[in-house]
Amino acid sequence: MKTSVSKILKIILPLFLGVFLVWYSLSKTPLDELINHFKKANYYWIVLGVFFGILSHLSRAYRWQYMLEPMGFKPKYPNSIMAVFIAYLANLGIPRSGEALRALTLTNYEGVPFEKGFGTIVAERVADLIVMLFVIAITLCIQFDFIWNLLMTKLNPTKIIILLVIMMVFGIALIIFIKKAKTGIALKIKNFILGIYEGATSILKMKNKWGFIFHTLFIWSMYMLMFYVTILSVEDLHGEVPVGAILIAFIAGSFSIAATNGGIGLYPIAVAGAFSLFGIARVPSEAFGWIMWSSQTLMVIILGGLSFLYLPIFNSKK
């Protein structure tokens, strides 16, 4: 009974959160102005952004092949593509459920053991995390003065120094604690960190590592391109968004997608909040966030739904 209740809550709570965030986002922006921005938008750039999004997903499916091949599995590329789109579709309903469904799809149709397929997806996420950290590092370098001045004006310098010291002490204590861990939760944390490290280093040991690295960089290049070209669809943002604002908004939007089911409601808020730091008007910024989110989400719903329907037909001989 408890298990059933927990499963229901896992489904209902993200949906309620999504509805609340949508309401909160729309309550901050006049709906007629938002609709007007959708009407005036240049859909050439939106379609181009969707095209870049599709390319990133196709590349992700192809990159997955590199990780499965060393284990002796060579799934059909169309199955990998459909598994990826189904995973993104599932994540719109329940956050992070898509990873399990993606591995399960290859288990059913390609005979890839679930734990091995899921392990490759975890390793993929490690690679994506490394690139994301790299993007954050570049942003910090490019916008160091801006971010430092922002912190100085918003926070007390003494508090920042105290916070950094506390974090350093906590980090050192945690490392010592985990190194000595033999049982309990500390051992689980230790094994988790070691697993991430092994996943990251295994990428450098694989046969087609350069192909994997190329596709990883290509995927994130497409993410950046689809974000940038979609900005061009909003007339009021032309020439208004500097490179630093694009990078910070891109990072904020990425975290909002990871934190919720597909960034529903939160994505426009995160992007508009990042743009507002640079003095960019809130209404066109939030309109861009909704255009960006809705165009990419609609693409996932259509292609994910078609993949879900066509997958058993494509594999009907099995």
Side-chain angles (χ1 to χ4, degrees):
M1 183 64 180
K2 286 182 179 179
T3 306
S4 300
V5 171
S6 65
K7 286 180 178 178
I8 293 169
L9 287 175
K10 284 180 180 178
I11 296 171
I12 292 175
L13 287 178
L15 293 176
F16 271 113
L17 178 62
V19 171
F20 170 76
L21 289 170
V22 169
W23 169 82
Y24 179 79
S25 175
L26 294 177
S27 68
K28 297 291 182 182
T29 307
L31 194 57
D32 56 336
E33 290 189 37
L34 192 64
I35 293 171
N36 190 42
H37 277 291
F38 267 83
K39 287 180 178 178
K40 292 195 309 180
N42 186 331
Y43 281 83
Y44 167 79
W45 295 113
I46 295 172
V47 171
L48 186 61
V50 170
F51 174 69
F52 287 142
I54 292 172
L55 287 181
S56 73
H57 299 324
L58 295 178
S59 181
R60 183 175 292 278
Y62 198 85
R63 184 183 68 170
W64 198 14
Q65 310 280 86
Y66 290 133
M67 304 203 73
L68 292 165
E69 191 177 351
M71 295 185 290
F73 301 105
K74 292 184 178 180
K76 295 183 181 70
Y77 183 49
N79 279 338
S80 297
I81 293 171
M82 288 185 281
V84 167
F85 279 115
I86 288 170
Y88 278 104
L89 180 64
N91 281 338
L92 293 176
I94 305 173
R96 305 276 69 84
S97 64
E99 279 71 11
L101 190 57
R102 182 175 154 193
L104 190 61
T105 300
L106 286 200
T107 300
N108 288 338
Y109 293 106
E110 294 287 353
V112 179
F114 177 81
E115 63 279 3
K116 291 187 178 182
F118 190 75
T120 59
I121 295 169
V122 172
E124 271 190 2
R125 292 304 183 189
V126 172
D128 291 330
L129 177 62
I130 291 169
V131 177
M132 186 64 189
L133 292 173
F134 185 65
V135 172
I136 292 171
I138 291 173
T139 305
L140 287 172
C141 291
I142 294 173
Q143 292 293 313
F144 179 79
D145 291 338
F146 174 81
I147 294 169
W148 179 256
N149 291 331
L150 185 67
L151 291 173
M152 289 298 102
T153 54
K154 298 290 183 181
L155 297 172
N156 189 311
T158 307
K159 289 182 179 179
I160 294 175
I161 294 169
I162 293 171
L163 181 63
L164 289 172
V165 171
I166 291 171
M167 288 174 64
M168 285 177 64
V169 171
F170 177 77
I172 293 168
L174 183 64
I175 291 169
I176 294 169
F177 179 67
I178 290 173
K179 277 188 174 181
K180 293 182 178 181
K182 301 295 181 184
T183 57
I185 191 167
L187 183 61
K188 290 182 179 180
I189 295 171
K190 180 180 180 179
N191 290 335
F192 177 73
I193 292 171
L194 288 174
I196 290 176
Y197 176 77
E198 287 177 16
T201 54
S202 67
I203 293 167
L204 299 174
K205 297 174 184 175
M206 69 172 60
K207 184 180 177 181
N208 294 306
K209 62 181 177 184
W210 293 114
F212 182 92
I213 291 169
F214 167 78
H215 278 280
T216 300
L217 296 176
F218 180 81
I219 289 165
W220 282 86
S221 298
M222 292 302 101
Y223 286 166
M224 293 292 294
L225 273 174
M226 73 183 188
F227 190 87
Y228 173 71
V229 299
T230 308
I231 291 175
L232 300 177
S233 70
V234 181
E235 187 179 345
D236 291 355
L237 295 180
H238 286 188
E240 294 291 326
V241 188
V243 174
I246 292 172
L247 288 171
I248 291 174
F250 175 78
I251 293 166
S254 298
F255 279 119
S256 73
I257 291 172
T260 59
N261 39 336
I264 183 169
L266 185 58
Y267 188 89
I269 296 171
V271 170
F275 280 172
S276 68
L277 297 174
F278 292 81
I280 300 169
R282 183 168 189 86
V283 174
S285 298
E286 201 150 324
F288 157 71
W290 277 110
I291 289 170
M292 177 72 189
W293 179 84
S294 56
S295 61
Q296 295 296 326
T297 300
L298 184 62
M299 176 264 286
V300 166
I301 291 172
I302 293 172
L303 295 181
L306 290 174
S307 297
F308 188 79
L309 293 172
Y310 185 64
L311 188 66
I313 298 171
F314 180 76
N315 295 280
S316 58
K317 290 183 180 180
K318 288 190 176 183

